[in-house]
């Protein structure tokens, strides 16, 4: 066990960062790199990681919205069958112009965090979560 010179907490000998304050043992700099949390670094927001126990990936949903969003496939993937059917209807009514909206939706999905994606599209009770 090694003791952090910054916060005086004990860490494993193989630790590169203090698990309490983020002190970098390698460069002896205080917190320039965030400490690892459960084997990963804070701020790691991979688009293709599963968001929560549902296993829905923000990256997959975004790619579905960008590539074939006018068919509502991103909503079927997220378990929102009603929204998928509404999207198909809107695509037919607007002669395909609705695909521009789903393209924008896919780009916005790629830009948001996993947590905000999960709240907006996976956990919501809304029938048709758009933006």
């Amino acid at each position: 066990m090694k003791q952090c010179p910054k916060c005086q907490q004990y860490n494993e000998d193989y630790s590169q960062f203090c698990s309490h304050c983020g002190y970098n043992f390698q460069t002896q700099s205080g917190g320039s790199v965030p400490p690892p949390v459960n084997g990963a670094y804070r701020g790691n927001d991979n688009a293709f990681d599963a968001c929560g126990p549902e296993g829905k990936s923000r990256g997959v949903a975004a790619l579905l919205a960008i590539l074939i969003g006018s068919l509502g496939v991103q909503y079927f993937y997220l378990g929102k069958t009603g929204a998928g059917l509404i999207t198909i209807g809107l695509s037919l009514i607007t002669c395909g112009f609705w695909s521009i909206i789903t393209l924008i939706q896919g780009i916005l999905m790629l830009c948001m965090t996993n947590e905000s994606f999960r709240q907006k599209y996976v956990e919501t009770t809304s029938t048709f979560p758009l933006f």
Side-chain angles (χ1 to χ4, degrees), residues 56-57 61 73-80 109 117 121-122 129:
K56 303 303 179 190
S57 168
V73 178
Q74 72 275 19
Y75 290 117
F76 291 115
Y77 172 73
L78 295 171
K80 307 281 183 192
M109 281 181 182
F117 168 79
Y121 292 103
V122 179

Side-chain angles (χ1 to χ4, degrees), residues 2 13 16 28 37 47 56 65-66 70 74 107-108 123 126:
K2 58 183 167 184
D13 287 331
Q16 294 180 6
Q28 285 82 35
V37 178
K56 303 303 179 190
I66 290 170
S70 61
Q74 72 275 19
I107 293 169
L108 290 176
E123 293 179 344
S126 173

Side-chain angles (χ1 to χ4, degrees), residues 48-60:
F48 291 96
D49 284 344
C51 293
E54 301 87 7
K56 303 303 179 190
S57 168
R58 173 174 57 104
V60 172

